[in-house]
Amino acid sequence: MNADELRSKYVEFFVSKGHVQIQGKSLLPENDPTVLFTTAGMHPLVPYLLGEEHPAGKRLVDYQKCIRTGDIDSVGDTSHLTFFEMLGNWSLGDYFKAGAIEMSFEFLTSPQWLGIPMEKLGITVFEGEEGVPRDDESAEVWKKMGIPENRIAYLGREDNWWGPAGTTGPCGPDSEMFYYIGDAPCGPDCKPGCACGKWLEIWNDVFMQYNKDAAGTYIPLARKCVDTGMGIERTVTILNGKASVYDTEIFAPIRGEVEKAAGYVYGSDEEKDKSVRIICDHLRAATFILGDPKAVSPSNVGAGYVLRRLIRRAVRHGRKLGIAKELMLSPIAGVLIQQMQGPYPELLENKARIVEELDREEKKFLETLQKGEHEFEKLLPNLLKDPRKVMPGRLAFKLYDTYGFPIELTEELAAENGMKVNRGEFDEAFKKHQELSRAGSEQVFKGGLQDHGETTTKYHTATHLLHQALRTVLGDHVAQKGSNITSERMRFDFTHPAPVTSEELKKIESIVNEQIMNDLPVSVEIISLDAALNSGAIALFGEKYESQVKVYTIGAADAFFSKEVCGGPHVERTGSLGKFRIQKEQSSSAGVRRIRAVLE
C-alpha cells in the first residue's frame, strides 16, 4: 500500500463512520506563538479540544503536514524525519474510549482496510499514578477486540499520557498501537513499548478526560474528547515490510534524483547513504515550508532560521557526495512537487517561489563557504605554529557564528593540514549560543492563545476592533498578516505600503476605544464560507477554511462594526476590554506594518 492509498483509505473509513473531512492547516500556526511550526496533527485543533465548537461538527478526520525540529541532528539515520504527514480523527464530546478503540481496531485489522494480522498488534495503556487510576477501561475494550493480556502493556506518564498544553488544562491517558517486526521476544519482559526495537508504534488514541487545575488536581471533564494520530511514512514502511522510511515509494523519486546527481547507487556506502537521507529529508521539509501559503523565507531568526539550516545542511551533504552542480536543490524539488501536488496543490501553485528561494539560498551558502574557507586560510599560519596541532574551539566557533561555516568543514580543513579541532571547546561555546537563543525565543513567544485565558481572550477580541479601525482610517487594502497575542499585550501585522502617521494612529486608537465605550455585543454564527463573505465578513487571505465557518460579529447584525471569519475565543461584549493604547508602529517586512498595543 502506498501513501496515497493509505491517505485515501483512512479518510474514506472515518467518513463512513460519520466523520466530516476537514482541511489540513498551514505549517505555520496562525494563533499559537508558542511554537514555530505545526508539530502534530492535533495542533490546529487545540482550541476545539479545549472547548470551542467546531463548524464541521463533533466527528472530524483529516491529514496534516507537520514539522518537528528537535531531532534535526538525528536525521540521517533510517527513521528520523523533519517533515511528516499525520492522519487524524477526532471526537469533540461524542464517542470516547470504546468507540475510538473499536474503530482503530477495525481499520487496522479488517481486510477491507489495512488487513494487519491481529497477532502482529500490541497495545500500551496508562499504568496509573497517584490521583489518576490505571486505564483498565481501555485495556478491557482491547481485550474484547481479541488482543490477549500478554500483548497489553501498562506504562507510565512518559509513554502513555497527553497534556495539558500548559501547566493547567485538559489532559488524559492515551493508548498506543504497536506492530511487531521481530521473530522472537528479546526476553521474558518483551512487550509493546519495549526499547528492543521489535515493536514499532503506528497509532495513538488520546483520551482527554481530565482537567488539571492550579493545585495539580485532576478533575473529570464533562465534555470528553478523543484525539488520534497515525504517521503516514512510518505506517507505509511497516505495511510494505521495509526496513526504513527511505526505502518506500514516498522517497523513491527524490532519492533517485539525488543518486543521479551524485553518480552514486544508494546502499553502497553507509556514510554516503546518510548524506542521501539528509538531502532527501531536508529538501522535502524546505520545499513544504516554502510552498506553504504562509511561507517564510530563509533568515537568521525563528522559522526562517530553521529553513535556512535545513537548506544549508542539504547543500553541504550534496558537496560531500561530490555533486558538482552549482544549483542542485531546485531540480530535485521539482520532482517532489510533481509527486505531492495531488494532496498538496499549494506546492504547484507556489513552485516559482520555491525554486527562486532555494536557488537564492544555495547561491548565498556557496558564497558563505568560500568566505569561510578564506578566513580559515588566514588563520592557518598561526595555527600551524602550535606544536600540539590543535585548533582552538573558540576559533572554530567564530567561523561558525560569524560566517556560518559548518564545524564539520572546519574539521575537514584542519585534518587536511594535519590538525584537529578542540571539539569540546567548540561544543561548549555552541551550547552557550543555543541557551541564549532559546532564552530569547522563549521571551519572544511568551504566552499565546493556547490557554484561552480571560486576558488573552480580551486581547484577541481587540484585534478585531483594531483590524476594522485600520481599514476605516487607512483603506480597505489593509489585511491581517499575522498576530502574536499574549496575556500582556497584542502584536498585529497588516498590509500597508507606508508608515502610519501619528495622526492616523490617534484616529485608529480613538475608534477602537469608541467601540469599547459603546459596549457592543459580540455574537457568533456558523455558516458557509460563501455566505460569510457575501454578508461582508473578512477572511484571512491564504488561509484554508472549511465549507462551514465561524463568523464573529461585533455590533448589531444589521449595523455591525466588525465581522470576521475566526475560530478563537472572544468576550461577550466590548465593554469588558478596558482602554486600548497603541505603544508602537513599525515595519515588519516589505509592505507589512506592525502595531503593538495594550489594554489598560
Side-chain angles (χ1 to χ4, degrees), residues 341-385:
Q341 63 178 304
Y344 300 104
E346 64 268 24
L347 293 178
L348 187 59
E349 293 165 8
N350 295 303
K351 182 177 180 179
R353 169 187 159 76
I354 295 169
V355 170
E356 180 184 352
E357 291 281 10
L358 286 174
D359 286 351
R360 181 187 296 121
E361 186 62 22
E362 189 167 355
K363 287 177 182 176
K364 188 179 291 186
F365 185 47
L366 292 174
E367 292 171 2
T368 294
L369 293 180
Q370 290 176 351
K371 288 179 182 177
E373 289 170 355
H374 178 67
E375 290 301 317
F376 180 88
E377 291 297 328
K378 286 166 62 176
L379 294 170
L380 190 58
N382 284 329
L383 293 173
L384 291 174
K385 292 177 183 177

Side-chain angles (χ1 to χ4, degrees), residues 423-496:
R423 190 61 187 260
E425 191 176 276
F426 173 88
D427 290 342
E428 185 179 344
F430 183 73
K431 184 178 179 182
K432 288 180 181 177
H433 171 74
Q434 282 186 313
E435 289 171 353
L436 289 171
S437 298
R438 192 177 298 116
S441 175
E442 288 170 355
Q443 185 63 33
V444 170
F445 295 109
K446 183 180 179 183
L449 279 175
Q450 202 167 14
D451 60 5
H452 286 205
E454 181 181 352
T455 307
T456 307
T457 298
K458 289 180 179 180
Y459 273 114
H460 184 224
T461 307
T463 62
H464 287 242
L465 299 179
L466 174 59
H467 193 184
Q468 184 54 49
L470 286 164
R471 290 169 66 86
T472 300
V473 175
L474 303 178
D476 290 343
H477 65 277
V478 169
Q480 180 178 345
K481 293 298 288 183
S483 63
N484 182 307
I485 305 166
T486 76
S487 60
E488 299 166 355
R489 54 98 182 115
M490 72 160 69
R491 194 182 77 195
F492 189 84
D493 293 355
F494 59 97
T495 53
H496 189 57

Side-chain angles (χ1 to χ4, degrees), residues 95-140:
Y95 60 81
F96 199 47
K97 292 182 181 178
I101 290 171
E102 288 166 5
M103 283 187 271
S104 297
F105 181 80
E106 181 181 351
F107 183 70
L108 287 170
T109 62
S110 170
Q112 182 183 352
W113 304 108
L114 298 192
I116 294 175
M118 193 166 67
E119 60 270 20
K120 286 286 190 179
L121 288 181
I123 308 298
T124 63
V125 296
F126 185 55
E127 70 178 2
E129 60 182 43
E130 185 177 354
V132 183
R134 191 168 85 158
D135 191 9
D136 290 320
E137 182 183 353
S138 292
E140 288 304 314

Side-chain angles (χ1 to χ4, degrees), residues 225-282:
C225 295
V226 176
D227 153 38
T228 86
M230 171 184 276
I232 287 183
E233 292 84 357
R234 177 175 289 192
T235 305
V236 167
T237 303
I238 291 169
L239 292 175
N240 289 281
K242 301 293 185 181
S244 164
V245 294
Y246 297 96
D247 295 332
T248 66
E249 50 80 28
I250 294 172
F251 282 93
I254 54 174
R255 202 188 82 182
E257 287 298 305
V258 174
E259 291 179 75
K260 189 193 305 181
Y264 170 72
V265 177
Y266 185 80
S268 307
D269 178 271
E270 177 51 31
E271 270 304 302
K272 290 185 177 180
D273 286 353
K274 181 178 179 180
S275 290
V276 171
R277 293 191 289 262
I278 287 171
I279 295 168
C280 288
D281 170 84
H282 286 8

